[in-house]
Amino acid sequence: MEAAEVAEHVSNDRTTLLSARDGSEEAGRLLVARHGPSMLRTAWHVLGKYGGNDAEDVVQEAFLAALTTDALPSGDVGAWLRSIVARKALDAVRGARRRLERPLPEVAGSREERAAVTVAPASVETLAVREALARLAPADRAVLVLVDLLGHSMAEAAEVLGTTNVGTRLRAVRARRKLAKLVRDGVTS
């Protein structure tokens, strides 16, 4: 996309967001259609093993927050929505840990079937990385998802995570090392 096309796309998304906030159901459906799948993938990545069926709930909470807040994104609406999802997912993980909840077993294949709709078939290496990523602490996983998977800057990730830029950089470096070690050593060993 050229710069003018990108600017028009961002402007259209922002206009759609404002229309949805004003009660337009059509605009709300358009936002969900455009950004829902990427928001769901973000929720799954951040929630990891705590996710279960909570990813859909996190996305729904993120949409509600986006539609009810006075804040507006200064740039890409999709990136802004995914950052809200990341915060909501971290809140969900923290809440589950505080309550010492354990996820219930899922119906066989249900999560995989949903993932197959939005995610291409994965190689063995990709599966190893996903499994290792799921074993990281939620905050480590969140910084890697925000920076390495979604392409946010360290400053943007720091804002989402409520930490300093330096703290986020340190967490990212340490999380990458932990992830590399888990993949190198084999997640199940």
Side-chain angles (χ1 to χ4, degrees):
M1 256 192 241
E2 292 183 25
E5 291 174 343
V6 170
E8 183 178 334
H9 181 74
V10 168
S11 174
N12 287 343
D13 265 358
R14 191 171 177 161
T15 302
T16 303
L17 174 64
L18 291 172
S19 294
R21 284 183 179 180
D22 288 338
S24 168
E25 289 181 24
E26 179 68 26
R29 281 192 289 276
L30 186 58
L31 274 178
V32 170
R34 278 187 194 159
H35 302 290
S38 65
M39 293 171 70
L40 190 57
R41 282 190 301 275
T42 300
W44 281 337
H45 286 304
V46 174
L47 290 170
K49 64 182 177 184
Y50 299 100
N53 295 324
D54 293 337
E56 292 92 354
D57 294 339
V58 166
V59 170
Q60 187 174 21
E61 287 179 30
F63 271 121
L64 287 173
L67 294 175
T68 57
T69 184
D70 291 333
L72 281 174
S74 58
D76 181 10
V77 172
W80 180 71
L81 290 169
R82 289 187 302 274
S83 70
I84 294 171
V85 166
R87 283 193 300 271
K88 295 290 184 184
L90 279 174
D91 290 345
V93 169
R94 289 179 190 129
R97 282 187 167 175
R98 275 193 305 272
R99 291 185 303 274
L100 298 173
E101 291 180 355
R102 298 286 181 242
L104 294 173
E106 293 186 33
V107 176
S110 65
R111 183 173 183 185
E112 291 76 16
E113 289 169 6
R114 287 193 314 270
V117 173
T118 57
V119 179
S123 67
V124 173
E125 295 83 12
T126 302
L127 293 174
V129 171
R130 284 183 186 166
E131 192 174 333
L133 189 62
R135 297 208 36 208
L136 291 176
D140 289 344
R141 192 169 46 250
V143 76
L144 292 181
V145 167
L146 289 169
V147 175
D148 294 337
L149 290 178
L150 299 178
H152 287 281
S153 69
M154 288 290 177
E156 292 167 335
E159 185 178 329
V160 168
L161 299 171
T163 62
T164 65
N165 198 7
V166 172
T168 301
R169 284 184 190 282
L170 286 172
R171 181 172 293 281
V173 167
R174 290 178 183 144
R176 287 180 187 125
R177 285 182 187 149
K178 290 176 190 174
L179 182 65
K181 183 176 180 349
L182 284 170
V183 170
R184 190 174 48 250
D185 294 347
V187 178
T188 56
S189 55

